[in-house]
Amino acid sequence: MLTLPMILLLALVPGEVAPPPEPPGVRASGAIPPFTGDPAPPDWVRLESHALADPDCRHYAYEVYAGDTQWLVRYVMFPEEREEFREIEQVFLFPKVKGKGKAERVAPAELQIEPLAARWKGRLFRLVDRRDLIRE
């Protein structure tokens, strides 16, 4: 049985933050550990980008990059045999603050992806969230 001091100690363990919610019917694959950095993107970025991307493959990756004034969100589809798909990669720009502008589509070919960053039109976006996901 956990006592209050034990619960408080567990709360202080770095990296043990509950992940943001996934859309209904989506879960982490478990094959690749998620990556989280600062600043953490707000939950609305995840939910709104998922609605725009509308992943049609069962297995896909979700990445968020933080810029000075925008969030860059990237979806990469991993189609399985005989699985149809519209686009392998989709990229969106969101304002840093909800309601301060509309989401924009970005051509994936305009990005330069690095291990912990993405560059678009000379601007640097730092990776702050990466998840390998499965739609059930």
Side-chain angles (χ1 to χ4, degrees), residues 84-104:
E84 305 244 346
F85 61 92
R86 290 182 310 272
E87 299 173 86
I88 288 291
E89 186 176 358
Q90 296 182 64
V91 181
F92 306 95
L93 277 175
F94 286 90
K96 209 61 173 233
V97 177
K98 186 175 183 169
K100 295 284 184 178
K102 289 186 171 185
E104 304 173 40

Side-chain angles (χ1 to χ4, degrees), residues 34-55:
F35 173 86
T36 56
D38 285 321
D43 292 346
W44 66 265
V45 169
R46 172 73 181 108
L47 298 174
E48 287 187 20
S49 67
H50 187 269
L52 286 174
D54 190 23

Side-chain angles (χ1 to χ4, degrees), residues 4 30 34-35 45 48 63 66 92 97 108 124-127 132 134:
L4 183 57
F35 173 86
V45 169
E48 287 187 20
E63 299 171 343
F92 306 95
V97 177
L124 179 69
F125 293 82
R126 291 179 329 278
L127 180 66
D132 187 52
I134 299 286

Side-chain angles (χ1 to χ4, degrees), residues 7-133:
I7 292 170
L8 292 174
L9 281 174
L10 286 174
L12 296 175
V13 175
E16 296 298 320
V17 177
E22 297 297 346
V26 176
R27 64 172 174 78
S29 74
I32 300 171
F35 173 86
T36 56
D38 285 321
D43 292 346
W44 66 265
V45 169
R46 172 73 181 108
L47 298 174
E48 287 187 20
S49 67
H50 187 269
L52 286 174
D54 190 23
D56 49 5
C57 288
R58 183 174 176 272
H59 183 194
Y60 62 96
Y62 161 78
E63 299 171 343
V64 179
Y65 299 84
D68 292 334
T69 61
Q70 295 174 303
W71 300 106
L72 188 138
V73 182
R74 180 175 178 240
Y75 284 81
V76 180
M77 309 304 160
F78 304 115
E80 297 173 358
E81 190 174 315
R82 296 189 195 108
E83 190 173 41
E84 305 244 346
F85 61 92
R86 290 182 310 272
E87 299 173 86
I88 288 291
E89 186 176 358
Q90 296 182 64
V91 181
F92 306 95
L93 277 175
F94 286 90
K96 209 61 173 233
V97 177
K98 186 175 183 169
K100 295 284 184 178
K102 289 186 171 185
E104 304 173 40
R105 280 192 176 267
V106 171
E110 294 178 356
L111 290 180
Q112 291 87 43
I113 301 296
E114 301 171 10
L116 295 175
R119 293 184 187 273
W120 178 69
K121 294 188 175 184
R123 297 186 334 201
L124 179 69
F125 293 82
R126 291 179 329 278
L127 180 66
V128 293
D129 192 359
R130 178 188 296 146
R131 289 183 252 164
D132 187 52
L133 301 167

